[in-house]
Amino acid sequence: MPSLATLILLAATAAPLALAQLTSSKRGLCYVSSKTSSTDDKIWDESGSDLTWYYNYGTSPTSGYDGHLDFVPMLWGAPSSDTDMTFYNTVKGLIDGGMNISYVLAFNEPDGCTSGGSCVSADTAAQTWIREIEPLKKLGVKLGAPAVTGAPSGFTWLQNFFTACAGNCSADFLPLHWYGNFEGLASHVGQANATYANMTMWVTEYAYADADLSDSQEFYNQSSSFFDRIDYITHYSYFGAFRSDTSNVGVDTAMLTQKGELTDIGAWYLGMDATGEVPKGDAAQVAKFAGWVIVVAVAAFWTIA
Ligand SMILES: *[C@@H]1O[C@H](CO)[C@@H](O)[C@H](O)[C@H]1NC(C)=O
Ligand SMILES: *[C@@H]1O[C@H](CO)[C@@H](O)[C@H](O)[C@H]1NC(C)=O
Ligand SMILES: *[C@@H]1O[C@H](CO)[C@@H](O)[C@H](O)[C@H]1NC(C)=O
Ligand SMILES: *[C@@H]1O[C@H](CO)[C@@H](O)[C@H](O)[C@H]1NC(C)=O
Ligand SMILES: *[C@@H]1O[C@H](CO)[C@@H](O)[C@H](O)[C@H]1NC(C)=O
């Protein structure tokens, strides 16, 4: 007969698997446009899915998305002019037009200067924030802090940003990015919670980059049940709403196969049963993004150190 301790351990390890099948209103779509978007887009916008929100790294909604999902505008980088008000004006225009804008995101990976980072200095970001983001608060919009990378440079950049703001950037929630294993993700969330106590968090990009299929699926299961049970994580969006042969974070993490069918992870994310479809790659595509993987390796290494 198993001891009580064993039973508790079994319950603790079994729980995430059972929970992984559940739907979650925290889930959203991190929309990535691609040459197959026109056929793939509707997969994420189906009314039956459990997704509730999306962002597309841009200021305006994705064409064809008609309101099943709440749109979260993002100011991706800093405009070149220090009087530019395009982001503020566009978001205000969406609200005035009757769109339900509850949140905005700001600065995609500003501490990253290669492979998708917006490469913005903390000072420029602070000035831009005070001019274009902070005033949105008066319109009832909740503000996401800059979405830094999961590398150590991310927290350093964020600290510099808040210093440069001198108390004038009142972020309501903290977006996080993570590419690595589950232990690294949990420790990253723990560090964010310790540094920014009482701030709710969104995990706006995450995946176990370049893991094999079974590790990717185990990571997916563990991380979704982790996010679902932590109250202060209110939103999450998996990085993988694209076909496996175009993935820059590994073939097996993708939510669509090279033919555009939902993979198991894709189906689970939408609250559906596994499809059994196995994603396949395209060597040329993966090699093209090799530079990006270095960022991942650094981030993953840091969690072990
Ligand atoms: C992930 O969870 C699903 C149920 O949602 C389960 O069928 C599958 O075996 C799990 N996979 C791993 C690797 O934990
Ligand atoms: C507006 O969006 C928020 C956040 O997604 C949601 O909680 C709320 O129910 C939405 N309101 C309406 C009227 O749709
Ligand atoms: C922050 O706001 C205060 C009060 O309005 C102002 O005096 C100060 O210059 C602002 N700091 C920055 C960095 O904008
Ligand atoms: C988050 O930090 C608070 C203290 O600010 C702590 O009580 C709580 O346990 C932490 N949560 C997790 C999941 O680490
Ligand atoms: C977090 O919130 C709790 C409860 O409201 C409060 O007691 C505590 O001082 C806050 N911590 C920080 C660091 O703001």
Side-chain angles (χ1 to χ4, degrees):
M1 202 178 132
S3 69
L4 182 59
T6 310
L7 283 176
I8 291 169
L9 191 66
L10 281 174
T13 51
L17 297 187
L19 281 170
Q21 275 165 313
L22 297 177
T23 59
S24 170
S25 61
K26 296 182 182 183
R27 283 181 207 156
L29 169 65
C30 174
Y31 177 91
V32 178
S33 78
S34 75
K35 63 180 196 305
T36 54
S37 288
S38 57
T39 42
D40 297 344
D41 278 5
K42 58 181 183 307
I43 294 171
W44 317 111
D45 195 30
E46 293 289 350
S47 52
S49 107
D50 65 351
L51 304 185
T52 56
W53 64 279
Y54 77 105
Y55 80 106
N56 59 13
Y57 299 93
T59 312
S60 299
T62 297
S63 112
Y65 277 26
D66 57 7
H68 288 136
L69 309 180
D70 290 322
F71 176 59
V72 180
M74 174 184 243
L75 176 57
W76 184 82
S80 50
S81 154
D82 63 6
T83 55
D84 193 301
M85 290 297 286
T86 308
F87 182 73
Y88 174 83
N89 290 332
T90 306
V91 174
K92 183 167 189 310
L94 293 175
I95 294 169
D96 291 346
M99 193 173 279
N100 180 19
I101 305 287
S102 304
Y103 310 99
V104 292
L105 294 166
F107 306 112
N108 186 62
E109 304 198 339
D111 57 311
C113 291
T114 52
S115 318
S118 58
C119 197
V120 181
S121 76
D123 285 345
T124 302
Q127 286 160 24
T128 308
W129 178 293
I130 291 166
R131 186 178 73 246
E132 292 209 69
I133 309 275
E134 193 67 25
L136 289 168
K137 212 159 199 155
K138 292 208 176 69
L139 306 181
V141 177
K142 294 229 174 349
L143 314 178
V148 295
T149 69
S153 59
F155 282 130
T156 307
W157 189 99
L158 208 53
Q159 203 168 37
N160 293 339
F161 168 78
F162 283 118
T163 302
C165 285
N168 298 333
C169 306
S170 53
D172 295 291
F173 60 93
L174 184 66
L176 297 177
H177 287 185
W178 186 255
Y179 292 101
N181 65 19
F182 176 72
E183 289 69 28
L185 170 70
S187 121
H188 191 63
V189 167
Q191 190 183 354
N193 180 43
T195 313
Y196 297 97
N198 292 350
M199 225 166 152
T200 55
M201 291 176 208
W202 293 27
V203 184
T204 49
E205 278 188 19
Y206 72 102
Y208 190 177
D210 299 311
D212 66 21
L213 189 59
S214 98
D215 286 349
S216 295
Q217 293 187 345
E218 187 181 19
F219 170 86
Y220 171 78
N221 283 355
Q222 289 177 310
S223 54
S224 44
S225 54
F226 176 65
F227 298 154
D228 287 341
R229 69 175 178 261
I230 294 191
D231 290 341
Y232 62 78
I233 295 179
T234 61
H235 294 65
Y236 62 93
S237 52
Y238 183 73
F239 196 76
F242 39 70
R243 295 191 182 194
S244 55
D245 59 344
T246 62
S247 173
N248 60 349
V249 290
V251 166
D252 293 312
T253 56
M255 293 203 278
L256 297 178
T257 67
Q258 71 288 354
K259 294 179 192 159
E261 307 142 323
L262 283 169
T263 62
D264 289 353
I265 292 177
W268 292 331
Y269 194 65
L270 300 184
M272 294 155 48
D273 290 333
T275 60
E277 300 291 351
V278 175
K280 292 201 173 55
D282 164 350
Q285 276 288 354
V286 174
K288 204 170 86 184
F289 290 105
W292 197 90
V293 171
I294 293 165
V295 177
V296 174
V298 169
F301 171 76
W302 171 72
T303 66
I304 299 160

